[in-house]
Amino acid sequence: MENTITEPVLHLASSRGYTEWSWLKSHHSFSFGQYFDPERIQFGALRVLNDDWVAAGAGFGAHPHANMEIITIPLSGDLHHHDSTGRDAIIRSTDVQIMSAGSGITHSEVNASQTDPVAFLQIWVLPEKDNIEPRYQQMTIRRNLRDEWIPLVAPDDQRALFINQQCWMTMRNASAGINTGYSPRKQNHGVYVFVISGTVFINGHLLGERDAAGWKSAQQLTIQASKDACILCIEVPV
């Protein structure tokens, strides 16, 4: 099938919203909290992508959510999660967690360390079905695996965490100079790529650390790391 090349939505790291408190540093790829940009509300079903740093012993106290799929990906350090379903767990830097807020849930997220900060991505995806029973799932991933797609969340893959949406999230540690590609699973899907580290060319666009780009109709993404990189692909209905 011939590839359809489209111009992406570009979200450079320096253009993100920013919140800073004494214990929190948070960059927002989309409108969140006091940061509002009418051009950056969401990318299809992808509503939030926050890049958070939380000081030792600090964190978010108990607060409610409903009808949102919430994915947490620690990048360094450990995060202590507690919620109203009775779940009490540590999310480590080798883990991924998903919480389907569904009909309503209250949870807290606190740095599990009293001495070291924790850094993590938190991603919100609009659900396919509203008001489901709240659910929680967590797994350890092969974080150091190179040049293979690592499944994180999916509606149809037992290797990944289940998500209540036609959404696939995959991570790749891309070695410098090696070409790879990504093909959306459905024609009405877009792909949002967030560069966690390193530098990559995607369909000819150069993206550095914490840059992101979203393609709403490309049938194929061609990816090459100009130096070792870690990328996160988020495929959602648009």
Side-chain angles (χ1 to χ4, degrees), residues 1 37 53 62 67 81 115 125 128 137 155-156 185 194 220:
M1 182 180 292
D37 182 339
W53 177 98
N67 292 322
H81 167 98
T115 57
V125 175
E128 185 173 33
Q137 195 178 4
D156 61 355
R185 289 159 174 80
F194 183 80
Q220 172 75 22

Side-chain angles (χ1 to χ4, degrees), residues 21-212:
W21 298 335
S22 60
W23 56 273
L24 171 70
K25 298 175 184 177
S26 182
H27 291 88
H28 316 298
S29 294
F30 301 96
S31 294
F32 186 86
Q34 295 183 342
Y35 166 63
F36 177 76
D37 182 339
E39 300 298 319
R40 295 174 71 154
I41 301 297
Q42 62 195 83
F43 179 84
L46 174 59
R47 176 60 189 86
V48 167
L49 198 166
N50 286 346
D51 183 1
D52 290 342
W53 177 98
V54 172
F60 302 93
H63 57 282
H65 292 285
N67 292 322
M68 194 66 71
E69 301 294 297
I70 300 174
I71 298 92
T72 301
I73 305 173
L75 302 178
S76 63
D78 301 331
L79 197 63
H80 183 191
H81 167 98
H82 178 77
D83 67 48
S84 52
T85 70
R87 180 77 179 187
D88 193 302
I90 304 297
I91 317 169
R92 305 194 185 280
S93 57
T94 53
D95 295 338
V96 175
Q97 177 215 64
I98 188 167
M99 184 176 71
S100 295
S103 57
I105 195 169
T106 299
H107 79 140
S108 60
E109 298 159 299
V110 177
N111 189 338
S113 173
Q114 295 297 316
T115 57
D116 299 312
V118 60
F120 60 98
L121 302 179
Q122 187 161 100
I123 301 164
W124 296 8
V125 175
L126 300 170
E128 185 173 33
K129 298 178 181 179
D130 285 344
N131 298 317
I132 66 170
E133 182 178 352
R135 63 185 301 276
Y136 173 101
Q137 195 178 4
Q138 182 173 323
M139 71 175 185
T140 299
I141 62 172
R142 293 185 293 167
R143 195 57 165 267
N144 295 324
L145 184 67
R146 300 208 64 80
D147 299 313
E148 292 185 31
W149 290 110
I150 304 169
L152 303 182
V153 304
D156 61 355
D157 189 339
Q158 293 185 348
R159 300 171 301 166
L161 302 175
F162 175 78
I163 186 169
N164 172 31
Q165 180 54 273
Q166 296 302 298
C167 167
W168 287 261
M169 292 188 193
T170 51
M171 180 182 290
R172 190 179 187 100
N173 294 307
S175 297
I178 294 180
N179 292 315
T180 188
Y182 185 95
S183 299
R185 289 159 174 80
K186 297 189 177 181
Q187 289 187 346
N188 65 336
H189 281 192
V191 182
Y192 189 87
V193 183
F194 183 80
V195 181
I196 296 172
S197 63
T199 305
V200 296
F201 285 93
I202 305 180
N203 284 14
H205 293 271
L206 178 63
L207 301 175
E209 184 170 320
R210 299 309 208 261
D211 290 342

